Amino acid sequence: MKENNNKFETNAIRTQLKRSENLEHSVPLYLTSSFVFEDAEDMRASFAEEKERNIYSRYSNPNSSEFIEKVCQMEGAENGFAFASGMAAVFSTLAALLNSGDHILSARSIFGSTHSLFNNFFPKWNIDHSYFKIDELETIESLITPNTKILYAETPTNPGVDVLDLEELGKIAKRNNLILIIDNCFATPYLQQPIKFGADLVIHSGTKLMDGQGRVLAGITVGSAELMDKVYRFSRITGPALSPFNAWVLSKSLETLAVRVDRHCENALKLAEYLEGNENINWVKYPFLKSHPKYEIAKKQMKAGGCVVAFEVKGGLEAGREFFDSIKLLSLSANLGDSRTIVTHPASTTHSKLSVKERAAVGISDGMVRISVGLEHIDDIIADIEQALG
Ligand SMILES: *Cc1c(COP(=O)(O)O)cnc(C)c1O
C-alpha cells in the first residue's frame, strides 16, 4: 500500500492504476489471461521476480491489483490477494499458513461454510480446531495447545449479530504468538478496521456489502506483507484468483461503499428501533442499539452498526415460518449486504439440518429472523415487516 493522507472516501475513488496512453477516466477492463514481454531478458527478469509486473492473470491482473490496493488502503494493510469468492479467500489463506498437525482456535459463531471447512475437510489433512464461546473470551487461553497457530473470529457474527472485542482478541493473539485472522465481512472496512486492534490478516467476502448489489462473487485477504507473501505463493499455484471482470465491478462498487453503508446503517438502526417497541417479538439485536449486550464494544470498534438486524418472533418455529411467508415486498433469500432488503429464517432454511440444541449452540432460536436491511425507503421496509408481523 502507498501511504497518503486522503480520507477513506477519497481513496475509495482516487486509488487508481496508471492509465494507458488513452487516458481513460473510467477504469478500463483488462480482460486478458496473459501479458507479453519485450524480449528474452524482460521475460527472464519478470519470472525471476526481479521486476514487479503482470505475467499471467492467475498471479496478478491490473483490475485485481487495483481492487487489492483499494482494500489495503481501507484496512491499513500492507498487501493482499483477491479471490473468486469469500470461501476461496478463507480456504486459501488458512491452507497457505497451516501445516499438518496445526490447530485453529476459532469462535464458535462463524459463517456456515467456514464451520464445514473446519469440521469436514481440514481433519483430512490433520488440521484440528477448537471453538471458544463468543461471550467467554476469558476461556480462550485455556484452549490454546502447543500446536495452536491461528486465532480466528468474525464480528459482528452471522446470524446473531453478536460483537467480539477486537482489542481483547488482539492482545490474546500477541501474548500467545498466534496469527489473528478476522473475517470482517459484516462490518466492511468502512465501519471497522481490525488491523488497528491487532489483527494480522483480514478476510472479506466481497460478495456482500463490498459489491452491495448482488452481482458478483468475490473474496479478498489483506494484512502483513510477510503473511500475504505465503498466501500469494500458495494461491498463484492453486488458482483461486478473482476474474478481472469481477475485480473491475468490485473496484467500481468500492467507490460508493461509504455512502451505501451509511444508508444501510441508518435504515437498519431505524428498523431495529421500530422493532424494539413491537409487541409481536421477544427481542431484537443490533450492535448500535443500547440494549445490545456488547453495545459499548460495538461503539468502541465500529463507526456504525452494519446492515444486519436479528429478532425473534413470538411463537417459535411456526410463527417464524408464518412471518416469512407473509413478506410481500422484501426478498426471501440467504444472501446479505444487497441494496435489496433480504429476510432469512435460519431455523427453517439455512440451519434446518441442525437439531434445536445445535442451533442454540450457535445462537439460533426457532423464531429468530435475520434481516439484511437494504437501500429501499425505510418506511416501505418497516411497512412490509409490520404487516407480516401482524
Ligand atoms: C458470505 C460469507 C462468507 C463467504 O463468502 P462467499 O463469497 O459466499 O464465498 C464468509 N464469511 C462471511 C461472514 C460471510 O457472510
Side-chain angles (χ1 to χ4, degrees), residues 262-318:
D262 273 342
R263 181 62 67 84
H264 277 289
C265 295
E266 190 188 314
N267 279 354
L269 182 61
K270 281 186 187 152
L271 175 67
E273 284 168 352
Y274 159 77
L275 286 168
E276 208 160 34
N278 191 294
E279 58 185 15
N280 296 316
I281 67 158
N282 287 325
W283 52 258
V284 53
K285 235 158 132 190
Y286 182 67
F288 267 45
L289 271 186
K290 284 209 180 69
S291 57
H292 191 285
K294 298 283 161 54
Y295 173 73
E296 292 301 330
I297 293 166
K299 278 272 181 186
K300 178 181 76 174
Q301 66 195 28
M302 298 174 79
K303 188 181 164 83
C307 71
V308 177
V309 176
F311 64 94
E312 187 180 64
V313 181
K314 276 186 187 159
L317 194 63
E318 265 319 299

Side-chain angles (χ1 to χ4, degrees), residues 35-284:
F35 300 83
V36 291
F37 301 88
E38 298 288 344
D39 50 30
E41 172 53 22
D42 181 31
M43 198 155 174
R44 183 206 62 78
S46 302
F47 274 85
E49 295 184 41
E50 287 165 15
K51 40 169 105 169
E52 212 174 294
R53 58 111 74 219
N54 295 302
I55 296 174
Y56 191 54
S57 287
R58 168 150 45 83
Y59 306 175
S60 69
N61 170 283
N63 291 115
S64 45
S65 299
E66 187 162 290
F67 171 52
I68 292 165
E69 179 66 14
K70 282 192 184 188
V71 178
C72 285
Q73 290 276 4
M74 292 174 166
E75 291 282 7
E78 291 170 348
N79 213 340
F81 192 83
F83 297 91
S85 70
M87 281 318 299
V90 172
F91 171 71
S92 305
T93 302
L94 294 170
L97 299 176
L98 292 167
N99 296 316
S100 171
D102 285 345
H103 174 254
I104 306 164
L105 185 48
S106 168
R108 183 173 283 283
S109 303
I110 50 170
F111 187 67
S113 298
T114 308
H115 223 284
S116 299
L117 180 64
F118 293 174
N119 284 329
N120 305 333
F121 296 99
F122 276 163
K124 290 204 302 182
W125 300 298
N126 192 28
I127 293 168
D128 201 5
H129 66 274
S130 333
Y131 291 125
F132 62 86
K133 289 195 182 150
I134 49 172
D135 49 3
E136 293 177 8
L137 300 192
E138 68 281 1
T139 63
I140 291 179
E141 286 182 306
S142 68
L143 296 169
I144 295 173
T145 75
N147 296 333
T148 307
K149 195 161 180 189
I150 284 171
L151 184 59
Y152 189 93
E154 296 171 12
T155 180
T157 64
N158 180 29
V161 286
D162 286 299
V163 172
L164 281 78
D165 188 337
L166 287 172
E167 192 178 358
E168 191 56 34
L169 290 173
K171 282 183 190 156
I172 294 168
K174 193 160 189 136
R175 222 170 23 235
N176 296 283
N177 207 15
L178 304 178
I179 299 168
L180 177 60
I181 303 182
I182 300 294
D183 180 332
N184 199 27
C185 170
F186 264 51
T188 80
Y190 177 60
L191 300 179
Q192 167 177 286
Q193 294 111 32
I195 290 171
K196 273 193 202 153
F197 298 98
D200 298 289
L201 293 175
V202 175
I203 295 181
H204 284 280
S205 164
T207 315
K208 314 295 168 58
L209 285 161
M210 276 192 176
D211 173 39
Q213 288 147 88
R215 298 169 297 187
V216 298
L217 283 175
I220 187 163
T221 304
V222 299
S224 85
E226 188 193 335
L227 293 173
M228 280 317 305
D229 188 61
K230 292 187 180 164
V231 175
Y232 168 72
R233 302 271 150 223
F234 179 80
S235 303
R236 71 178 241 166
I237 296 305
T238 52
L242 183 62
S243 82
F245 179 75
N246 286 3
W248 176 84
V249 170
L250 262 295
S251 281
K252 290 303 276 180
S253 302
L254 288 182
E255 295 189 12
T256 56
L257 183 72
V259 284
R260 285 187 288 107
V261 172
D262 273 342
R263 181 62 67 84
H264 277 289
C265 295
E266 190 188 314
N267 279 354
L269 182 61
K270 281 186 187 152
L271 175 67
E273 284 168 352
Y274 159 77
L275 286 168
E276 208 160 34
N278 191 294
E279 58 185 15
N280 296 316
I281 67 158
N282 287 325
W283 52 258
V284 53

Side-chain angles (χ1 to χ4, degrees), residues 108-109 133-135 159-160 162 283 285 312 346-347 351 354-366 368:
R108 183 173 283 283
S109 303
K133 289 195 182 150
I134 49 172
D135 49 3
D162 286 299
W283 52 258
K285 235 158 132 190
E312 187 180 64
H351 292 70
L354 302 185
S355 68
V356 174
K357 212 173 143 206
E358 284 171 323
R359 281 201 291 268
V362 291
I364 296 167
S365 65
D366 283 351
M368 179 177 163

